[in-house]
Amino acid sequence: MCTELGGDGDLLMDYVEEAGMTSLCDAITKTGCSDREIGYIDKMSQNSIDDVSAQFTRLTNMESGSMKPELKDWLNKRKKILSGLIKNAVAASEQEL
């Protein structure tokens, strides 16, 4: 399987993320994230939870449109990042109670 998905492992990692509907990028610790993902995390971390949720909704609504595979991949990565930021904000607010 490794030879079918490339020798460097990048295609294998892409396959695992896509098939498992998961991401290796942790939006809180930024481990496993690309420079592009880290930039997006930094940008979105400055926004309120309402703004982050609105962005998540906007991206979800964009999913049904046609787009190049690279853009679809970036859309999915952004959604996973936003989901992680939202979950972290919810957990933090529950701890305050």
Side-chain angles (χ1 to χ4, degrees), residues 36-37 40 70-78:
R36 186 177 189 189
E37 290 168 321
Y40 188 71
E70 306 87 45
L71 294 177
K72 182 82 163 179
D73 181 53
W74 178 233
L75 182 139
N76 288 328
K77 287 181 180 184
R78 288 183 291 167

Side-chain angles (χ1 to χ4, degrees), residues 28 49 80-94:
I28 307 309
I49 188 66
K80 290 172 188 170
I81 288 168
L82 295 174
S83 178
L85 293 175
I86 292 168
K87 287 178 187 176
N88 187 57
V90 169
S93 67
E94 288 176 354

Side-chain angles (χ1 to χ4, degrees), residues 23-54:
S23 175
L24 298 176
C25 175
D26 185 322
I28 307 309
T29 64
K30 301 177 187 173
T31 56
C33 301
S34 68
D35 290 339
R36 186 177 189 189
E37 290 168 321
I38 291 171
Y40 188 71
I41 292 167
D42 291 341
K43 175 183 171 184
M44 295 310 296
S45 294
Q46 297 173 12
N47 295 334
S48 70
I49 188 66
D50 291 334
D51 291 341
V52 173
S53 295

